[in-house]
Amino acid sequence: MRVGEVNLSSRSGFLKDYSEGKERCLPFLDYAFLDQEKYKQRAAELLTRSYQREQLADYFTEVHARLSYREEARQQIEKLKQANSLVVVGGQQAGLLTGPLFTVYKAMSILLMAKQQEKELGLPVVPVFWIAGEDHDLDEIRYVYIEKNKRWKKHMLEEGGAANSASKLPLERKQLKQWLQTVFASLPETAYTKQLLTKLEGFLEEGVTYVSFFQKVMNWFFGHEGLLLLDAHDPLLRRLEIPYFERLIEEVEEVQTAQQRGAKAFYEAGYGTPVVTEAENSHLFLEVNGERKRLDYQDEAFVVRGGKLRFTKRELRELLQQEPERFSNNVVTRPLMQEWLLPVLAFISGPGELLYWATLKDVFHHFGWKVPPVIPRYQATIVPAAVQKWLDQFSYEIEPFLSGGMEQLREAWLAEQNPYPVHEVAQQVREQMLSYHRPLRELAVEMDVTLAALSEKNAVIIEDQLKFLEKRMAHFVRQQHEHTLEKFAEAERWLFPLQHPQERVFHPLLFVNLLGIEEFRRILSTDVTLDMRHKLFYL
């Protein structure tokens, strides 16, 4: 396998300014992306604070006792117990089969950063993947794309039930097994296919939720690297978080004001509105009758959105003491909970996450913290050997195929191969026809209104027939080069499917099926630089 890097010009706005260290973006985060001292400064800041390390170690021990690679996890857990240990964290929702490839790239970025900074700082650094188990928007996690008739189609797991969190919602084994079999029916049969299906079906032997299934797949990919998996909505964690939720309840007005102020400043700087919400949003959720409901705060009371339930601060704190597992965060307070729980050396973000983190500086400062260094995960494309061989054969650079430029290249190539000037001749004939036909239309106008309308209709019919013939002739030309044109389309299907980056459409099992788990892990373990250059893994 060969690794390459390219610069793609798709970055713009805050991400571009942040990566280039532009002065106008500096007020929104506490650590500049290009600051070479940021990790040393952050480590010094964290070493003055204390954390529930033993309780966190107990939590991770219990989670990883149910998973493989227990020894690798144990070593990381022992490091976490040390008073000077730090954490690199990033996270994602619990997508089926991990969801799109960017999920595994985020985990890979976490591991890379943890290893690099442990070496640089001389301190223990633990990699943690934060699973957003409280999320209840199942439409975002219950599908993958599969190939059907040379097109990528969304394959949904049909799931009913209440809008509960991914941590709590059970997956029906028979239904999920059928869904998996449809996924595998869309894959090419390889030496690894049967073994891969057997492995995944084995993960279903015990009753599973979205999160536990996700944990098993992620542990299969990354357990040998010691990646610790944290379910943000685990009841054991919620019990640890009681004092932190209490502060979010008591200081809700300050959180609301700081969030609105940060969002307004970000918008006025020309960077848009990454978090669209109302001033009354308390940035907390509460489970009510099995459904996750947003809590608003106004007129000195918490109100369940869309319902009649109301709580004073005292009443909500009492409920929290009794049933902390009913409480959860949103995108504004989730970073705060990470900051309370973990000694976060750096947060590995996606491109969108970076934007909303940049609105939260005032919220962090309210609690006396700095926003940790926010480091965008790397972005990548896996390039099949057949696709690269074809690109080399035609002397094409890969960059245009990674950003939607295939069609322009294809049509330019076809124009060079075409000896028949179909469109030029057709245009000449149209112009001549309109010229020759004009006297007839003018005469019809002099004779009769009905004949005038008929003459106009006649001109349209003639032009339509010319267009029809032109289209058929152009189709004839394309048929002569059908094989090569299909190669253009195949390159785009792999490199820029559905006019999106590969990492946002493909799920990892596509490549595990082609390469086997060991070779796929080799890709995931590749040592690359965490910069803004797009990574290319050539198979």
Side-chain angles (χ1 to χ4, degrees):
M1 183 190 71
R2 180 168 61 91
V3 180
E5 294 183 329
V6 293
N7 280 319
L8 297 181
S9 58
S10 58
R11 285 186 289 115
S12 61
F14 186 80
L15 178 59
K16 182 175 187 295
D17 289 352
Y18 181 61
S19 65
E20 296 175 357
K22 295 291 180 64
E23 189 172 344
R24 66 189 290 248
C25 80
L26 296 180
F28 295 102
L29 293 167
D30 286 303
Y31 296 94
F33 181 71
L34 298 180
D35 182 359
Q36 299 300 311
E37 298 296 313
K38 58 182 176 292
Y39 301 116
K40 290 181 181 178
Q41 294 170 2
R42 176 65 175 176
E45 176 194 348
L46 293 175
L47 293 177
T48 65
R49 290 157 59 178
S50 60
Y51 298 89
Q52 301 181 75
R53 293 179 184 272
E54 290 295 330
Q55 294 91 331
L56 283 170
D58 291 343
Y59 165 74
F60 282 119
T61 299
E62 180 167 329
V63 169
H64 284 270
R66 304 190 293 266
L67 301 169
S68 302
Y69 303 102
R70 296 180 184 89
E71 176 57 25
E72 290 82 353
R74 186 195 66 78
Q75 293 174 16
Q76 297 293 348
I77 293 167
E78 288 301 314
K79 289 199 304 189
L80 184 62
K81 290 180 181 179
Q82 298 177 42
N84 65 341
S85 68
L86 309 167
V87 163
V88 174
V89 65
Q92 197 63 41
Q93 298 155 300
L96 291 175
L97 306 182
T98 79
L101 274 168
F102 64 68
T103 301
V104 298
Y105 295 157
K106 188 175 287 186
M108 201 169 154
S109 300
I110 293 167
L111 286 161
L112 280 170
M113 173 67 72
K115 291 175 186 176
Q116 291 170 3
Q117 290 308 311
E118 186 166 271
K119 183 178 179 181
E120 290 289 324
L121 298 173
L123 296 170
V125 181
V126 180
V128 173
F129 194 93
W130 182 285
I131 305 167
E134 67 271 88
D135 195 84
H136 64 281
D137 189 354
L138 300 183
D139 284 348
E140 292 189 6
I141 63 174
R142 63 186 180 99
Y143 73 90
V144 296
Y145 283 96
I146 62 174
E147 191 175 17
K148 188 174 183 180
N149 299 325
K150 297 184 177 180
R151 294 179 180 274
W152 296 105
K153 302 285 187 181
K154 189 176 283 190
H155 176 46
M156 300 285 289
L157 175 67
E158 297 304 323
E159 185 72 57
N164 208 333
S165 66
S167 292
K168 294 186 176 182
L169 194 65
L171 284 166
E172 202 281 310
R173 191 185 308 170
K174 182 179 178 182
Q175 192 177 23
L176 182 55
K177 197 170 182 177
Q178 290 173 344
W179 180 87
L180 263 180
Q181 288 170 347
T182 302
V183 172
F184 274 79
S186 73
L187 299 175
E189 184 78 26
T190 71
Y192 311 106
T193 306
K194 290 181 181 178
Q195 182 183 3
L196 176 56
L197 179 57
T198 300
K199 184 73 172 180
L200 291 168
E201 288 180 340
F203 291 155
L204 305 180
E205 286 306 307
E206 303 173 5
V208 295
T209 63
Y210 279 93
V211 167
S212 63
F213 187 52
F214 179 87
Q215 285 175 324
K216 289 174 183 178
V217 178
M218 288 291 282
N219 179 251
W220 184 41
F221 288 164
F222 296 105
H224 66 292
E225 296 271 10
L227 181 68
L228 298 184
L229 302 172
L230 181 152
D231 173 10
H233 203 45
D234 192 303
L236 293 175
L237 275 184
R238 291 305 187 211
R239 183 65 57 181
L240 296 181
E241 294 168 350
I242 287 175
Y244 314 141
F245 274 113
E246 284 185 323
R247 288 199 65 183
L248 291 173
I249 291 169
E250 277 300 313
E251 300 171 47
V252 59
E253 297 100 331
E254 290 83 358
V255 171
Q256 288 174 323
T257 301
Q259 186 275 327
Q260 291 285 305
R261 187 167 59 244
K264 183 173 182 286
F266 197 73
Y267 174 79
E268 290 177 347
Y271 291 130
T273 311
V275 180
V276 179
T277 190
E278 301 82 7
E280 65 268 21
N281 190 344
S282 75
H283 307 293
L284 296 172
F285 281 86
L286 179 69
E287 186 181 306
V288 179
N289 297 325
E291 293 191 12
R292 186 171 179 250
K293 297 288 189 180
R294 184 178 119 176
L295 284 174
D296 288 337
Y297 182 82
Q298 54 188 351
D299 301 326
E300 299 186 350
F302 287 91
V303 182
V304 173
R305 193 169 183 85
K308 297 180 180 179
L309 279 177
R310 296 175 64 87
F311 302 90
T312 63
K313 288 183 178 181
R314 182 178 61 80
E315 289 169 340
L316 201 59
R317 288 200 318 273
E318 289 174 356
L319 181 61
L320 172 67
Q321 293 291 336
Q322 298 163 7
E323 300 178 89
E325 67 278 2
R326 291 177 60 186
F327 289 76
S328 57
N329 305 107
N330 76 347
V331 296
V332 171
T333 54
R334 187 182 299 145
L336 301 176
M337 198 58 75
Q338 284 180 0
E339 192 71 11
W340 264 309
L341 274 180
L342 304 171
V344 180
L345 175 66
F347 175 73
I348 302 297
S349 77
E353 287 175 304
L354 172 65
L355 302 185
Y356 75 72
W357 272 69
T359 70
L360 300 180
K361 185 176 179 180
D362 284 356
V363 181
F364 271 77
H365 286 193
H366 167 72
F367 291 100
W369 304 322
K370 289 183 177 181
V371 181
V374 181
I375 309 301
R377 65 167 175 83
Y378 74 69
Q379 301 178 50
T381 300
I382 299 175
V383 185
V387 171
Q388 184 56 41
K389 182 180 178 181
W390 179 80
L391 291 174
D392 290 341
Q393 178 186 342
F394 280 75
S395 299
Y396 282 125
E397 298 294 330
I398 196 171
E399 287 93 325
F401 289 87
L402 298 173
S403 52
M406 181 280 290
E407 185 175 353
Q408 183 177 351
L409 291 175
R410 182 189 64 195
E411 296 309 307
W413 176 88
L414 184 62
E416 290 177 0
Q417 315 308 310
N418 183 12
Y420 310 109
V422 173
H423 300 298
E424 293 82 354
V425 172
Q427 181 61 26
Q428 291 173 10
V429 171
R430 266 195 297 273
E431 291 172 357
Q432 290 172 1
M433 185 280 295
L434 288 172
S435 177
Y436 291 142
H437 198 270
R438 186 177 297 110
L440 193 61
R441 297 199 306 277
E442 291 171 350
L443 182 59
V445 171
E446 292 179 16
M447 294 173 66
D448 178 69
V449 173
T450 302
L451 287 173
L454 184 61
S455 70
E456 293 292 340
K457 184 177 180 180
N458 178 249
V460 170
I461 291 172
I462 294 171
E463 186 165 6
D464 286 344
Q465 285 296 307
L466 287 172
K467 287 179 180 177
F468 172 75
L469 181 59
E470 178 186 7
K471 185 177 179 180
R472 291 298 296 268
M473 293 170 77
H475 180 65
F476 173 84
V477 172
R478 298 186 84 85
Q479 281 185 314
Q480 306 309 301
H481 302 283
E482 187 173 359
H483 176 73
T484 302
L485 295 177
E486 172 53 31
K487 290 293 184 181
F488 277 97
E490 182 183 9
E492 183 172 71
R493 276 200 305 276
W494 279 101
L495 302 179
F496 203 66
L498 301 177
Q499 294 296 296
H500 290 290
Q502 181 196 83
E503 63 178 30
R504 294 193 166 275
V505 176
F506 286 9
H507 59 87
L509 273 298
L510 286 168
F511 293 105
V512 180
N513 180 61
L514 292 175
L515 306 172
I517 185 61
E518 294 305 324
E519 184 64 19
F520 185 67
R521 282 177 180 157
R522 196 161 76 86
I523 294 175
L524 299 184
S525 300
T526 304
D527 190 6
V528 298
T529 305
L530 282 178
D531 55 21
M532 296 296 182
R533 289 170 62 82
H534 192 89
K535 316 305 175 192
L536 299 171
F537 300 118
Y538 294 96
L539 302 183

